[in-house]
Amino acid sequence: MGYDIAIDGPAGAGKSTIAKKIAEKKNMIYVDTGAMYRAMALFMLREKVNLKDTAEIAEKCKDAEITIKYEDGVQCVFLNGENVNGLIRTEEVSEAASKTSAVPEVRKKLVSLQQELALMQDVVMDGRDIGTKVLPNANLKIYLTASSWVRARRRYDEFLAKGESADLEEIEKEIRERDHRDMTREESPLKQAEDAILVDTSDMTVDEVVDRIIGLIK
Ligand code: DC
């Protein structure tokens, strides 16, 4: 019997940082499902699909083959055979992913892929619907969150660290908008699973969060 951990929560709560560390410590595979939705969004942008046209997105997504491979322990997402890891972390792709991930056909395709990955190995999977939909029987479910201000502040600091300028208020506004879209969409909205444990990271360091979750692993 395998052991799977589901980590859900809004953008900027620290899911990927935390999930990666837990996977490393526990010798599990980290699966970043957001990267798959981002690769799909990149495909739609390249194909110049109208992001308001749900039917067009549903049709087009049939032409996008998304696959995952691990190179030196790092997850690489491939779009029709091309490694797109370096192209999916832009604001444009974030916005597009939030829109295209609301389309049922997109979700169906990527959820199957995620479930297949979890069948093959013990995973720490992060996303929005992992505990509610993708891995309803996960051994441990965490709902990771932080206030929108703290999440905006973290993103702002990341921009500064890269030597880029940023507008903190603008970032918080975008985070709130994305939260709203992710939480109110009809198909698999972001919400805490009934059996998930809430961890608010607003006043916690990364190591504190990792220790807390590792302490919950039975
Ligand atoms: O976690 P992220 O920021 O990389 O996710 C990008 C977008 O994909 C985000 O708007 C929500 C969506 N997403 C989703 O709908 N379901 C998931 N399991 C993961 C991400």
Side-chain angles (χ1 to χ4, degrees), residues 107-131:
R107 304 204 68 82
K108 212 167 155 198
K109 184 163 179 160
L110 297 182
V111 166
S112 309
L113 172 62
Q114 291 153 15
Q115 289 172 333
E116 276 169 33
L117 286 169
L119 274 183
M120 293 189 286
Q121 60 238 319
D122 290 355
V123 295
V124 183
M125 191 176 281
D126 81 15
R128 304 294 189 287
D129 58 341
I130 311 307

Side-chain angles (χ1 to χ4, degrees), residues 29-149:
I29 299 282
Y30 166 55
V31 181
D32 170 4
T33 63
M36 301 179 196
Y37 288 95
R38 287 170 179 273
M40 185 62 92
L42 176 66
F43 177 75
M44 299 297 165
L45 288 169
R46 284 177 168 178
E47 294 287 311
K48 308 226 177 335
V49 170
N50 175 359
L51 298 181
K52 291 195 179 119
D53 188 341
T54 312
E56 197 185 348
I57 294 171
E59 183 55 32
K60 268 284 171 199
C61 83
K62 294 180 191 155
D63 299 334
E65 208 48 60
I66 312 270
T67 47
I68 295 290
K69 284 186 201 142
Y70 291 87
E71 293 175 2
D72 296 327
V74 176
Q75 172 183 298
C76 298
V77 57
F78 287 76
L79 169 60
N80 294 330
E82 174 192 355
N83 182 341
V84 293
N85 261 21
L87 304 173
I88 55 174
R89 303 283 160 199
T90 64
E91 273 311 303
E92 189 190 17
V93 173
S94 298
E95 272 294 304
S98 177
K99 290 175 185 157
T100 57
S101 64
V103 178
E105 285 77 5
V106 168
R107 304 204 68 82
K108 212 167 155 198
K109 184 163 179 160
L110 297 182
V111 166
S112 309
L113 172 62
Q114 291 153 15
Q115 289 172 333
E116 276 169 33
L117 286 169
L119 274 183
M120 293 189 286
Q121 60 238 319
D122 290 355
V123 295
V124 183
M125 191 176 281
D126 81 15
R128 304 294 189 287
D129 58 341
I130 311 307
T132 52
K133 176 97 197 229
V134 181
L135 304 176
N137 299 318
N139 305 78
L140 177 61
K141 297 182 186 178
I142 302 292
Y143 190 83
L144 206 65
T145 190
S147 70
S148 60
W149 191 85

Side-chain angles (χ1 to χ4, degrees), residues 130-175:
I130 311 307
T132 52
K133 176 97 197 229
V134 181
L135 304 176
N137 299 318
N139 305 78
L140 177 61
K141 297 182 186 178
I142 302 292
Y143 190 83
L144 206 65
T145 190
S147 70
S148 60
W149 191 85
V150 167
R151 290 184 284 132
R153 181 74 217 204
R154 288 177 187 161
R155 190 127 301 171
Y156 175 78
D157 289 341
E158 280 167 17
F159 279 117
L160 294 200
K162 281 191 280 181
E164 294 169 21
S165 62
D167 178 337
L168 184 55
E169 276 183 25
E170 185 58 31
I171 295 174
E172 188 180 7
K173 186 171 149 264
E174 281 167 12
I175 282 185

